[in-house]
Amino acid sequence: MNVRAVPCLSDNYAYVLVQDGHAVVVDPSEAAPVLAALEGLTLDAIWLTHHHWDHVGGIEALLARGAVPVVGSRHDLAEQRIHGQTVAVGQGDTVRFGALEGRVHDIPGHTLGAIAYEIGGALFTGDTLFAGGCGRVFEGTMPTMRASIDRLAALDPALRVWCGHEYTVKNLEFAQALAPEPAVAARLDAARALRARGEPTVGHPLADERATNPFVRWGAPAVQAAAARLGADPTDPDAVFGALRAAKDRW
Ligand code: FE
Ligand code: ZN
């Protein structure tokens, strides 16, 4: 299976999973670039990580080419908030693409219906786990979001992470300002170099998040010390996580 990152809107990524002339689209933000990426491919399904407009805007145009299953979370189907959703999935459920079998992870916090898809060595995290950061907590609580980030971070470190936005440089700038560490600085340099060449920073190993993402590393001494400076109890993981997220919201 190949993964093609399709830049959409100002900083979104839709993803086209390709195998033997067939495709699955994850989070079609808008129609035109996704339709162009699908040229010559047979679309098997559309998978959504959550219901936000910048992830679902292209669904209608894709369905106009022919009906395909539209997969999203149970919560989002119950809320009827993903256009054309036909399949509802949740924690541990299986998704299939050709002979590949993948699984779904519930990751509430950014929204209550947020889910991740793990398939073929790839992990699609939507707006929950970003490269070097995490999404805003709109519908869940800080403990809910932390549990979701932990759930993703505990998966196979060799998985390639494909997230919903190109926020990597800004996220790592925040991480570096919060708690400067050589691994964070090195990753920030690498991300800036990729962006200078117009290339995506995503598709990196999950291990990079364990090494450099402060929202994954709420237990690291440098991150706990930074949280303490922000007024949080460094021994309380939810307080540390919440202080980091609140600081990032203001940053
Ligand atoms: Fe979102
Ligand atoms: Zn988004």
Side-chain angles (χ1 to χ4, degrees):
M1 179 187 94
N2 276 313
V3 179
R4 297 180 190 163
V6 182
C8 291
L9 304 172
S10 60
D11 51 29
N12 276 82
Y13 288 119
Y15 295 103
V16 178
L17 288 51
V18 182
Q19 186 177 237
D20 303 324
H22 287 256
V24 165
V25 172
V26 176
D27 286 359
S29 310
E30 57 174 336
V34 176
L35 288 170
L38 282 174
E39 216 156 296
L41 298 169
T42 302
L43 182 63
D44 286 8
I46 303 170
W47 297 353
L48 293 317
T49 63
H50 65 298
H51 72 287
H52 282 161
W53 68 274
D54 60 317
H55 298 254
V56 304
I59 294 176
E60 210 166 342
L62 293 181
L63 293 178
R65 295 166 92 237
V68 294
V70 177
V71 182
S73 71
R74 289 201 184 88
H75 186 89
D76 288 340
L77 186 65
E79 298 270 324
Q80 289 282 304
R81 59 185 187 175
I82 291 177
H83 175 90
Q85 182 177 355
T86 57
V87 181
V89 293
Q91 183 62 30
D93 282 349
T94 296
V95 284
R96 290 197 166 73
F97 176 33
L100 289 175
E101 190 175 289
R103 58 181 175 147
V104 174
H105 305 279
D106 280 340
I107 47 168
H110 177 68
T111 69
L112 289 176
I115 52 176
Y117 299 89
E118 177 190 352
I119 189 165
L123 182 64
F124 299 92
T125 60
D127 288 357
T128 301
L129 180 67
F130 287 128
C134 77
R136 280 180 187 254
V137 179
F138 286 124
E139 295 183 0
T141 62
M142 292 296 180
T144 308
M145 187 67 158
R146 185 177 71 81
S148 294
I149 295 290
D150 287 358
R151 169 170 280 170
L152 293 175
L155 298 174
D156 179 355
L159 284 169
R160 299 279 158 174
V161 179
W162 305 94
C163 53
H165 292 265
E166 181 59 66
Y167 289 161
T168 314
V169 168
K170 278 214 163 356
N171 283 339
L172 292 169
E173 284 171 351
F174 172 76
Q176 181 71 351
L178 186 82
E181 289 183 272
V184 177
R187 191 178 180 198
L188 176 56
D189 284 348
R192 283 182 174 143
L194 282 166
R195 295 309 294 150
R197 296 200 297 272
E199 290 173 32
T201 61
V202 293
H204 55 288
L206 182 59
D208 289 357
E209 301 311 323
R210 293 199 199 168
T212 61
N213 187 328
F215 295 95
V216 172
R217 303 177 65 245
W218 48 263
V223 174
Q224 290 183 335
R229 286 196 297 277
L230 292 166
D233 173 359
T235 64
D236 177 347
D238 289 323
V240 171
F241 185 93
L244 299 190
R245 188 55 258 180
K248 180 63 166 62
D249 286 353
R250 294 189 304 266
W251 197 66

